[in-house]
Amino acid sequence: MTRTPSVRQEFLALQAGLVLTGLLHGLLVLPAFGAASGLRDRLVLSLAGNLLLGLVLFLLWLPLRRLPRRRAQPDGAARAARCFWAGLVFGLMPAVGVGVVDGLALHRNTTLGIWLAAPLFLLGRSFARRWRPTPRLTGALSLLGLLAAAAAGYLMPARLDLSPASPVLPTAPPPASAPAAAVDVVLISIDTLRADAVLAGSGIETPTLDRLRAEGLAAAFARSSGNQTLPGHAGMLSGLGAGRHRVLDNTVPFPAELPLLSEYFQGAGWRTAAYMSNYVLNRRFGTDRGWDLFDDSNSHFRDPRLATVGRTWLGWITSKEQFRWLAEHILFREGDRSRQLEWSTTQGIRTTAAGLALLDQAYRDEPPLFLFLHYMDAHRPYRAPAPWRGRHTAGLTPVEDGDEDSALARLHQHASYFEEVEFLDACLGRILAKIEAGGRPTVIVVTSDHGEFFGEHGLYGHGQHVFEPVVRVPLLFWGAGVASAELDEVHLADLAPTLLGLAGIPFDPATMDGLDLLTSGPAERDGRFHLSRDRHWAAITLPPWKWMGRWDDENSAAGLRSEQFFQLEEDLAEAGAAKQPPEDFLRLVAAWLREAAQERLLESGHLNRQDRDALVGLGYADLLEDQD
C-alpha cells in the first residue's frame, strides 16, 4: 500500500537541501571569490536567502501538488527525496553563478547561474532514486539552517572593516618644475566647524589649534559663501564668492569652468593629493580636477553586505530596499544605522592615517606636495571615538540624533559636538608632528566650509538660513613665510589667493574675489561686501550692516518674500531687526537684487538614487524636496 506523501516531510526535505548548499556557499564559495563580508554575514546572507527561497518554492508548488495526475505517483519517501535533491540544485545556482561569472569576469550572474545549474536537476533525479534522506535527517538539517542563521546574526560578533586606507601618490613626474624654494602646502578642511568652537572661552581643549592660531596668521572668523558643503568648498577652492561660483547647494556640481586651487598647484609643478570624507565632495560632483591622487573612498559608507548579498538567493529575490529592511529588523542584531555609526565614528582616524601616509611618501620624493585633507567628524552624527566620547556628555541624558525639541537635546548634541572637535584637534596634532619631523618648509591652513546651528533662532544643523552661526568658519595659516598676526573681517574666498601668494604661484587677481591676506591692507579688506546664499536665502554683509532676504523664486528679485537688516556690532545674535541702515548700504543691496534678477543662476542637475539617498543620510531631505 502506497503511503500518502507528507507535505511537512517534503517541505523539510527541500529546506534541508537548501541548507546544505547554503552552508557550502557561505563557508567556501563566497570567500573563495573575494566576498568582502566576514563569516557571520556570509552565513546569514546565504542561509537566509536559501531558506526564503525554499518557502517561496514550496508555496508555488503546493497548488501544483494537488492537481490530479494520470500516472501513479511515487511514495512519500521518494517525493521527499526529490524535494531534497531539488533543494540541493536550487541552492547550487548562486555558487555556480558566482564561480563562472567571477572566473570569466562577466556580469549579471543571476540568469547564468540558473541556466548553468539547471542540468543538475537530471542528475538530482538519478541520485534521488539511490539515496533517500530520512525525515529525521531533513528535519534536523532544516532546524540547523534556521538556528545557524539566527545564531550568526544575533550571537556572532559583527566585524566591519574599519582599517585605514593606504593611498599611493603617482610616480610620474609633474608636468612642470616647481620653484627651487617651493613649500609643501597642507590644506585641512573640517566639515561643519563653527568659528566660535575653537576660540578662547569655548570651554573645550584644542591645544593644536591654539598653537597654530598663536603662531600663525588667524582671524576670529571668515565668512563662507554658503550654508552647505559644496558651496563652501567652491568658494574655498576657487577664490570666488557666491555670486561668481554659482554653486548654491549640494545638488550643484562644480562647474567645469570653475578654476580650482588644485589646478594652479598641479600646473606649477606640485604633486597634488586629496583625501575626501564627505559624499558630496566625491568625484561625481566635479571636485576631482587638478589632483594627481583623488581618494574619495572615505566619503560614503559602503556596506560590504550589499555586494555579498548580490551573490546569494537573498539578493536575487529581494530588492535593495527589501534587503535593508530584512537586515535592519530580522537578520542581524544590529541594523544599518549602527554599522554606519561605527564606520562614521572612525572616519577621522582613516583621514589622519591617509594624511600621514601621503606625507611619508612625499618626503621620499623631490617635488613639493599640495595635500588637501577633508575631515567629516564634526558633522552629524556627533559621535567621537574613545577616549574623547563622554568627556562632555558624561552625566547628560543621551538623546537620539534628530530629537531637537528640548533644551536637553540641544545640550547633549552641543556637548557631543565639542567631543568631536577635541578629537579632531588630536588628529591635527598628529599631522603637525609629522610635518615638523619631516623638516620640509610647509604651510598649513585650517578652515571649514560652514558652521552649525545649536538652537539659535530655533534652528539645528545647517543647510538652512544664513545667520552668522552657519556662515562663520575658522581660518588660520601657519608655517613657512607666515608671520604671527590677527586679522579682522576676512572671507573664505581669501584662502585661495593667499595660498597662491605664499607658494609663489602667479595668478590674475581679477579672476578671484578673494584677496591675498599677506599683501592686502585693512582698508582694502574692510571695505568690501560679502554674499552668502542658497536657493531661498541670501545675506549681504558690509560691516557692521547685514541684510538678509528670502524669496520663492531664486531667479527673481520680484519674488522677494521678506527682508531684515541687522547691525552686527549692536546685535551679534541677530535677535531683532535694526533701524534704517545707511543709504549706501541700501543701494548696494538694491544693486545686487537687480543683478540677481537679470542673471539666471545655474540649475541643479538630476541626481540619481544613490546621490539622493546619500544626501538624505547627511540630513538634506528638505533640500531634495525643493528639487522635486
Side-chain angles (χ1 to χ4, degrees):
M1 180 177 178
T2 303
R3 214 168 79 188
T4 303
S6 164
V7 173
R8 180 174 63 86
Q9 183 181 349
E10 294 173 15
F11 175 69
L12 292 177
L14 176 67
Q15 292 287 33
L18 286 164
V19 165
L20 280 179
T21 48
L23 289 170
L24 171 71
H25 193 47
L27 291 172
L28 301 177
V29 177
L30 287 174
F33 288 95
S37 298
L39 173 62
R40 167 184 183 259
D41 293 348
R42 297 197 308 267
L43 281 176
V44 172
L45 299 179
S46 59
L47 285 172
N50 282 17
L51 290 170
L52 181 60
L53 173 68
L55 179 61
V56 172
L57 288 176
F58 204 77
L59 290 176
L60 294 174
W61 168 246
L62 274 178
L64 299 177
R65 185 181 181 278
R66 300 181 184 277
L67 294 176
R69 305 294 179 91
R70 295 181 180 179
R71 292 184 296 178
Q73 297 300 304
D75 61 18
R79 295 272 292 267
R82 288 187 179 182
C83 289
F84 174 77
W85 289 103
L88 281 177
V89 174
F90 272 110
L92 282 173
M93 287 179 177
V96 172
V98 168
V100 172
V101 171
D102 284 25
L104 299 178
L106 302 174
H107 299 283
R108 302 292 298 174
N109 59 16
T110 306
T111 305
L112 277 174
I114 292 174
W115 284 105
L116 292 172
L120 295 177
F121 278 110
L122 300 177
L123 187 62
R125 292 194 63 174
S126 173
F127 277 108
R129 297 191 190 101
R130 300 179 184 181
W131 183 72
R132 299 179 179 182
T134 64
R136 182 172 296 177
L137 175 62
T138 57
L141 284 173
S142 299
L143 182 61
L144 171 66
L146 188 61
L147 291 177
Y154 283 82
L155 299 180
M156 291 179 67
R159 298 190 181 277
L160 189 62
D161 184 12
L162 302 174
S163 57
S166 298
V168 178
L169 285 171
T171 57
S177 297
V183 298
D184 292 333
V185 175
V186 178
L187 170 57
I188 299 173
S189 173
I190 301 176
D191 209 294
T192 321
L193 183 60
R194 287 173 56 133
D196 59 5
V198 294
L199 293 176
S202 65
I204 60 177
E205 297 180 3
T206 54
T208 305
L209 285 166
D210 291 346
R211 178 190 165 189
L212 296 179
R213 179 178 297 278
E215 298 177 3
L217 179 67
F221 65 89
R223 296 187 187 278
S224 177
S225 61
N227 55 25
Q228 297 170 40
T229 297
L230 273 177
H233 282 92
M236 177 197 310
L237 298 175
S238 70
L240 296 177
R244 291 178 68 186
H245 66 61
R246 303 299 174 86
V247 179
L248 297 182
D249 56 36
N250 283 343
T251 68
V252 182
F254 281 11
E257 65 275 10
L258 190 69
L260 300 178
L261 263 180
S262 50
E263 295 174 302
Y264 282 100
F265 276 95
Q266 188 182 58
W270 270 253
R271 287 213 184 282
T272 56
Y275 190 80
M276 302 298 195
S277 300
N278 189 323
Y279 182 83
V280 296
L281 290 179
N282 71 34
R283 64 187 71 246
R284 67 178 65 213
F285 289 93
T287 55
D288 58 341
R289 287 186 285 113
W291 302 106
D292 299 325
L293 169 71
F294 185 87
D295 190 330
D296 55 8
S297 61
N298 199 36
S299 67
H300 189 55
F301 175 61
R302 296 168 175 85
D303 192 338
R305 296 178 304 186
L306 291 176
T308 302
V309 75
R311 301 174 171 189
T312 68
W313 270 113
L314 187 61
W316 290 5
I317 61 178
T318 63
S319 66
K320 184 181 292 187
E321 289 74 18
Q322 290 168 337
F323 165 69
R324 282 176 169 165
W325 187 91
L326 290 170
E328 185 80 25
H329 298 94
I330 297 177
L331 298 180
F332 296 96
R333 178 180 67 250
E334 83 293 338
D336 280 348
R337 176 166 173 76
S338 63
R339 291 169 72 95
Q340 185 158 358
L341 272 176
E342 183 182 2
W343 180 86
S344 65
T345 300
T346 55
Q347 270 188 291
I349 296 173
R350 290 189 295 276
T351 303
T352 303
L356 296 175
L358 290 168
L359 287 170
D360 274 334
Q361 295 172 49
Y363 294 156
R364 297 192 295 266
D365 203 356
E366 183 177 342
L369 174 69
F370 174 46
L371 174 62
F372 179 41
L373 295 178
H374 175 268
Y375 282 91
M376 186 64 172
D377 302 73
H379 195 288
R380 287 184 176 185
Y382 316 124
R383 191 171 185 265
W388 294 272
R389 192 188 314 163
R391 288 185 176 181
H392 294 272
T393 54
L396 298 178
T397 303
V399 294
E400 290 292 327
D401 183 57
D403 179 12
E404 302 160 346
D405 297 330
S406 67
L408 181 62
R410 175 183 175 182
L411 183 63
H412 189 275
Q413 288 193 6
H414 210 166
S416 301
Y417 177 82
F418 284 162
E419 292 169 355
E420 292 275 28
V421 175
E422 291 187 343
F423 160 64
L424 288 164
D425 186 81
C427 293
L428 298 188
R430 296 184 63 195
I431 297 293
L432 178 60
K434 172 67 70 174
I435 289 171
E436 292 187 310
R440 299 207 325 193
T442 304
V443 173
I444 300 176
V445 188
V446 180
T447 189
S448 181
D449 49 357
H450 55 75
E452 189 83 322
F453 288 116
F454 287 101
E456 299 91 347
H457 308 283
L459 301 171
Y460 293 84
H462 56 272
Q464 52 191 333
H465 287 270
V466 280
F467 287 113
E468 294 296 286
V470 82
V471 298
R472 291 191 175 197
V473 298
L475 179 60
L476 57 91
F477 299 80
W478 177 93
V482 180
S484 175
E486 293 185 7
L487 294 172
D488 295 325
E489 197 57 40
V490 299
H491 301 174
L492 188 54
D494 298 332
L495 184 151
T498 304
L499 267 188
L500 292 176
L502 281 166
I505 299 175
F507 68 98
D508 181 0
T511 62
M512 296 188 182
D513 295 324
L515 298 174
D516 184 340
L517 297 176
L518 295 177
T519 59
S520 59
E524 188 179 5
R525 293 193 299 268
D526 296 345
R528 53 190 177 144
F529 82 95
H530 182 271
L531 170 67
S532 298
R533 68 164 303 183
D534 60 16
R535 291 190 177 275
H536 296 293
W537 289 92
I540 293 177
T541 307
L542 182 63
W545 292 98
K546 178 176 179 178
W547 168 87
M548 189 166 67
R550 173 177 171 80
W551 59 97
D552 294 318
D553 183 353
E554 71 202 45
N555 300 314
S556 171
L560 189 67
R561 179 193 297 180
S562 62
E563 61 179 351
Q564 291 176 284
F565 292 93
F566 302 99
Q567 216 280 11
L568 296 179
E569 288 182 352
E570 301 175 357
D571 183 20
L572 182 58
E574 300 164 287
K579 299 178 181 179
Q580 184 77 358
E583 286 297 324
D584 57 346
F585 186 66
L586 291 174
R587 286 193 294 270
L588 173 66
V589 172
W592 180 80
L593 286 172
R594 285 193 298 270
E595 181 181 344
Q598 293 169 357
E599 297 182 5
R600 183 171 184 83
L601 300 182
L602 186 66
E603 297 284 349
S604 67
H606 294 289
L607 299 177
N608 61 31
R609 183 58 181 269
Q610 181 183 2
D611 295 337
R612 296 176 69 88
D613 288 348
L615 288 171
V616 169
L618 291 173
Y620 296 111
D622 293 343
L623 166 66
L624 294 177
E625 290 176 3
D626 290 339
Q627 304 304 309
D628 291 337

